[in-house]
Amino acid sequence: GIQVEQSPPDLILQEGANSTLRCNFSDSVNNLQWFHQNPWGQLINLFYIPSGTKQNGRLSATTVATERYSLLYISSSQTTDSGVYFCAVESGTGTASKLTFGTGTRLQVTL
Amino acid sequence: KAGVTQTPRYLIKTRGQQVTLSCSPISGHRSVSWYQQTPGQGLQFLFEYFSETQRNKGNFPGRFSGRQFSNSRSEMNVSTLELGDSALYLCASSSLGGAGGELFFGEGSRLTVL
């Protein structure tokens, strides 16, 4: 099956710093989503981005499907950005389609 | 509009028991999928239902089952619980089944098996 790798696995930032999280996938995908898992476990949608670039406030994401990677940019980080960031890719067609999650990047933003 | 609702949020069971978890999707969404999250295995796909039909299934034993009702609400059941079933179970809804649908997750049901 498709492999999804995220880097770095862990990241510690000081408040105000910028960061880039990467998601590599081993095969072509139908779509890609980025999520932030909050301390209570809920996965919060950040971006639905099968290709191209999107921005939402301090966050932006770029997916280059032909090169099989996606990047999540966090600018001017805040302590509330702490948590685990997952990318998830959908591959296959019809009833064979499935969502595969990456291993996540654990981000800690300190004062 | 209301988000995805999962109940119960927390529960404790003992080995050998069974458990039923419930998920109410966003109004108008017909696809519901279930995921298991554990520290060792990460997030793994369990199954997806669309219009009351199971469309896809992950690599889990037959002890894990689910169903979807005509109002799109879904339940998953785990029978003969094992210690390794302790996990966060997440449900997601989508307006589109299968490929192409943006997923929205509930807050999860945290199961502890003693």
Side-chain angles (χ1 to χ4, degrees):
Chain A
I2 192 168
Q3 303 299 313
V4 183
E5 295 181 357
Q6 291 185 242
S7 60
D10 295 280
L11 185 59
I12 301 176
L13 297 174
Q14 247 188 339
E15 198 172 42
N18 303 327
S19 63
T20 301
L21 282 56
R22 188 176 180 104
C23 172
N24 290 334
F25 40 96
S26 62
D27 205 345
S28 59
V29 299
N30 304 314
N31 63 66
L32 184 146
Q33 285 189 247
W34 283 97
F35 297 94
H36 175 214
Q37 189 166 37
N38 65 25
W40 297 272
Q42 187 175 12
L43 287 166
I44 308 298
N45 291 49
L46 297 177
F47 295 101
Y48 177 75
I49 184 167
S51 63
T53 297
K54 290 186 177 180
Q55 180 155 7
N56 185 4
R58 296 181 296 103
L59 303 182
S60 64
T62 295
T63 295
V64 184
T66 53
E67 297 188 21
R68 299 180 183 169
Y69 73 89
S70 182
L71 302 174
L72 177 69
Y73 305 95
I74 305 174
S75 64
S76 303
S77 59
Q78 301 176 357
T79 55
T80 51
D81 295 331
S82 297
V84 184
Y85 290 80
F86 291 98
C87 68
V89 302
E90 183 141 24
S91 57
T93 57
T95 56
S97 67
K98 61 178 292 188
L99 194 72
T100 303
F101 281 83
T103 49
T105 292
R106 184 175 299 276
L107 173 64
Q108 183 180 353
V109 180
T110 62
L111 292 171
Chain B
K1 55 185 174 182
V4 179
T5 304
Q6 291 188 244
T7 57
R9 293 288 314 282
Y10 303 91
L11 64 168
I12 300 174
K13 294 284 188 179
T14 57
R15 280 181 298 175
Q17 288 187 311
Q18 72 163 10
V19 66
T20 299
L21 309 178
S22 178
C23 174
S24 294
I26 291 171
S27 178
H29 284 191
R30 296 164 63 190
S31 169
V32 173
S33 50
W34 289 88
Y35 299 83
Q36 182 197 63
Q37 185 177 27
T38 59
Q41 299 297 319
L43 277 152
Q44 293 185 288
F45 171 73
L46 280 157
F47 27 66
E48 183 207 356
Y49 287 87
F50 183 84
S51 295
E52 301 180 66
T53 301
Q54 186 180 90
R55 287 177 48 96
N56 207 345
K57 191 176 190 301
N59 296 323
F60 280 81
R63 301 185 298 107
F64 292 80
S65 63
R67 58 178 175 169
Q68 186 179 34
F69 302 95
S70 58
N71 62 357
S72 294
R73 188 178 71 87
S74 177
E75 289 181 347
M76 68 162 283
N77 184 78
V78 187
S79 62
T80 319
L81 285 166
E82 301 176 359
L83 295 178
D85 297 333
S86 294
L88 178 65
Y89 291 87
L90 292 160
C91 159
S93 80
S94 171
S95 59
L96 302 175
E102 184 175 5
L103 296 185
F104 297 88
F105 281 85
E107 293 178 297
S109 293
R110 191 170 296 276
L111 170 65
T112 301
V113 182
L114 302 176

